[in-house]
Amino acid sequence: MPQPSKRRRWMILAAIGLGVVGIAAIAIASRNSGEVIEVRTDTVALRSIVQEISASGKIQPEVEVKISSEVSGEIIALTVKEGDRVRRGQLLVRIRPDLLQTQLEQFRAAVRAAEVGIEIAKVELDRTERELRRSAELYDKGFISKQEFETAKAAYDRAAGQYQSALAEKSRAQATLRQAELSFNRTEIYAPISGVVTKLNVEIGEKVVGTAQMQGTELLRIADLDTMNAIVEVNENDVVLIHTGDTAQVRVDAFRDSVLVGRVLEIAHSPLEKAIGTQDEVVNFQVKIRLVSRDDRLRPGMTCVADIRTARRDRACAVPIGAVTIRYDADSTERNRTARAARPPQVAFVVKGDRVEQRIVQTGISDRDYIEITAGVSPGEVVVSGPYSAIARQLRDGSRVRIKRSRSTAGEQR
């Protein structure tokens, strides 16, 4: 009886073993028969990476002066034309001074009248002063009454007040005359700086409005073209990477045959907001780039594109920028699920034989083609670099792949 029981136990164990082997074989066969994804690869290499931020804007001079007239009238002389180079203090525009000339004569006559008034008041003051001294002597001797003495004193005080009033009137008339002379002198407009006339808005015979009472007519603009800047707009996400002193390469749309070198001079603190309150809202900041190299063809208002170099890494462990993607399923631990909301994990797929291994990587700076990997892969390993649909969606840890085209770039230096 013990023999059959032992034989039955061995038969059951053999059947279970065959079942396990069969299930494993089925799983392996199923795995081997899975989809094969065609990919492109690249080799992790040490490279020099220069991170750049591109921004568009316009060329502007460091100094540009808008010139307006302070007096109204008709332009009777215009000594420059657009594009002329002028010196500081050079006569630019003359406005007809006939009305101001008439006012000037009136104020000069008022000054002369005030001087005559002073003379008359002085004569009266001297007369009342002598009368007061005489009255004082007679009063001391008892020949006149106190009332008569006080009358003489009151006349003197009144004459002294009129004399002081005449002096004040002359001062007022002189101040008015000086103001009229200044207005008269402003009918001739001189260049406040040396530079080039970049804009001319008026012609001889035109009437202009002065700035004394309102905004006034802008006559022309003078710019110092020896010092030029590129004023570009940088997105709020990129402006935090830029620092004063960063180098930049500026390409002007009008002549792309040359590249101008510049340095970041100023970074604005006030934003330039567009489409506020809509889904297209954009927040940019102005960045001023001082052009170090000169080009005589530059003109204010020309459009340009600036590539601002914000960082550089030599011998950085780098992969093609398309080899790194964000995958929310890269790490399913509770801690990483909580952290994903702030910063989802970045992954790359490393080729191991005919399969790929999904790696969580940490990245650094990047240029147009490559991105720095600070952790997750090592130089010499082969990573999937394309296509984008495979890296972003299709590939999983352990997926079978077929290499379509490989670019062997191990150890390449740029």
Side-chain angles (χ1 to χ4, degrees):
M1 294 300 295
Q3 293 282 349
S5 176
K6 186 175 181 180
R7 189 181 307 114
R8 190 181 306 113
R9 189 165 54 249
W10 279 107
M11 290 177 63
I12 293 173
L13 291 176
I16 292 174
L18 289 174
V20 171
V21 172
I23 292 173
I26 293 172
I28 293 173
S30 175
R31 183 179 178 185
N32 289 337
S33 62
E35 179 185 4
V36 178
I37 303 173
E38 190 175 60
V39 297
R40 296 189 302 273
T41 62
D42 205 326
T43 305
V44 182
L46 298 178
R47 301 176 181 274
S48 294
I49 298 180
V50 178
Q51 180 171 270
E52 295 181 337
I53 294 175
S54 294
S56 60
K58 292 186 177 182
I59 300 295
Q60 296 292 346
E62 175 67 14
V63 178
E64 185 176 43
V65 180
K66 300 177 182 179
I67 300 177
S68 301
S69 173
E70 295 188 61
V71 297
S72 302
E74 177 186 349
I75 296 176
I76 59 174
L78 189 61
T79 64
V80 295
K81 60 181 182 296
E82 192 166 321
D84 284 354
R85 183 171 289 275
V86 298
R87 303 181 312 278
R88 180 176 182 177
Q90 178 179 334
L91 177 65
L92 303 175
V93 180
R94 183 180 289 113
I95 298 174
R96 187 182 299 280
D98 48 0
L99 180 59
L100 293 174
Q101 179 69 46
T102 303
Q103 293 177 347
L104 195 61
E105 293 175 356
Q106 291 176 350
F107 295 136
R108 285 173 179 166
V111 172
R112 290 194 296 269
E115 291 174 346
V116 172
I118 291 175
E119 294 177 359
I120 295 173
K122 185 66 169 62
V123 170
E124 180 64 16
L125 179 63
D126 293 341
R127 186 191 68 80
T128 56
E129 184 180 8
R130 291 192 300 270
E131 185 67 25
L132 178 61
R133 285 199 299 268
R134 186 182 308 110
S135 297
E137 293 175 358
L138 294 175
Y139 178 71
D140 291 338
K141 295 177 180 180
F143 293 141
I144 62 173
S145 64
K146 182 178 181 181
Q147 183 178 3
E148 291 174 321
F149 171 73
E150 290 178 349
T151 300
K153 187 175 184 303
Y156 171 79
D157 292 339
R158 184 169 53 256
Q162 292 175 346
Y163 178 71
Q164 294 299 323
S165 177
L167 291 176
E169 178 63 22
K170 180 182 178 181
S171 297
R172 187 191 67 80
Q174 287 175 332
T176 305
L177 176 61
R178 284 194 298 270
Q179 182 179 1
E181 289 174 341
L182 288 174
S183 298
F184 181 81
N185 293 334
R186 287 169 182 166
T187 59
E188 293 183 344
I189 300 173
Y190 299 88
I193 64 170
S194 298
V196 176
V197 179
T198 57
K199 190 173 184 180
L200 185 62
N201 297 325
V202 294
E203 296 291 344
I204 294 178
E206 288 189 27
K207 303 283 188 179
V208 296
V209 177
T211 59
Q213 298 176 344
M214 54 193 69
Q215 183 176 357
T217 304
E218 181 182 322
L219 306 179
L220 51 90
R221 297 185 186 182
I222 298 177
D224 180 7
L225 301 184
D226 293 333
T227 305
M228 303 292 282
N229 300 316
I231 310 297
V232 298
E233 294 185 10
V234 179
N235 186 267
E236 60 179 329
N237 297 321
D238 295 330
V239 75
V240 295
L241 303 175
I242 300 176
H243 301 87
T244 303
D246 286 346
T247 59
Q249 292 184 333
V250 180
R251 292 175 176 83
V252 181
D253 294 343
F255 42 93
R256 288 186 169 270
D257 57 323
S258 62
V259 178
L260 304 177
V261 179
R263 290 188 178 277
V264 175
L265 186 65
E266 295 178 7
I267 304 172
H269 289 81
S270 299
L272 300 174
E273 298 178 326
K274 300 178 181 178
I276 300 175
T278 69
Q279 61 181 3
D280 298 324
E281 181 175 354
V282 177
V283 179
N284 293 332
F285 289 83
Q286 276 194 347
V287 175
K288 179 187 289 187
I289 301 171
R290 171 66 53 79
L291 297 181
V292 179
S293 53
R294 294 182 56 183
D295 193 316
D296 293 336
R297 297 175 295 176
L298 285 177
R299 296 291 183 271
M302 285 183 170
T303 56
C304 64
V305 176
D307 295 325
I308 305 172
R309 297 185 176 182
T310 59
R312 180 186 177 92
R313 297 282 191 279
D314 293 320
R315 296 184 60 80
C317 180
V319 299
I321 199 166
V324 179
T325 187
I326 295 175
R327 296 292 286 267
Y328 287 93
D329 57 351
D331 194 333
S332 59
T333 64
E334 185 64 31
R335 184 178 64 182
N336 281 282
R337 278 202 304 270
T338 304
R340 278 204 299 267
R343 186 174 184 180
Q346 295 177 300
V347 302
F349 292 93
V350 179
V351 178
K352 298 291 185 180
D354 65 342
R355 299 186 182 276
V356 294
E357 177 183 321
Q358 182 175 268
R359 302 261 190 94
I360 295 179
V361 297
Q362 296 179 8
T363 60
I365 67 173
S366 63
D367 57 18
R368 288 185 175 87
D369 300 316
Y370 292 91
I371 185 169
E372 178 188 16
I373 303 296
T374 58
V377 297
S378 303
E381 291 187 301
V382 178
V383 296
V384 177
S385 60
Y388 172 78
S389 59
I391 297 173
R393 293 185 298 273
Q394 296 175 347
L395 290 177
R396 295 289 186 274
D397 190 26
S399 296
R400 295 183 62 196
V401 295
R402 180 173 61 251
I403 299 174
K404 178 180 180 181
R405 180 167 58 89
S406 176
R407 296 187 298 167
S408 181
T409 56
E412 179 183 349
Q413 298 290 326
R414 289 201 309 163

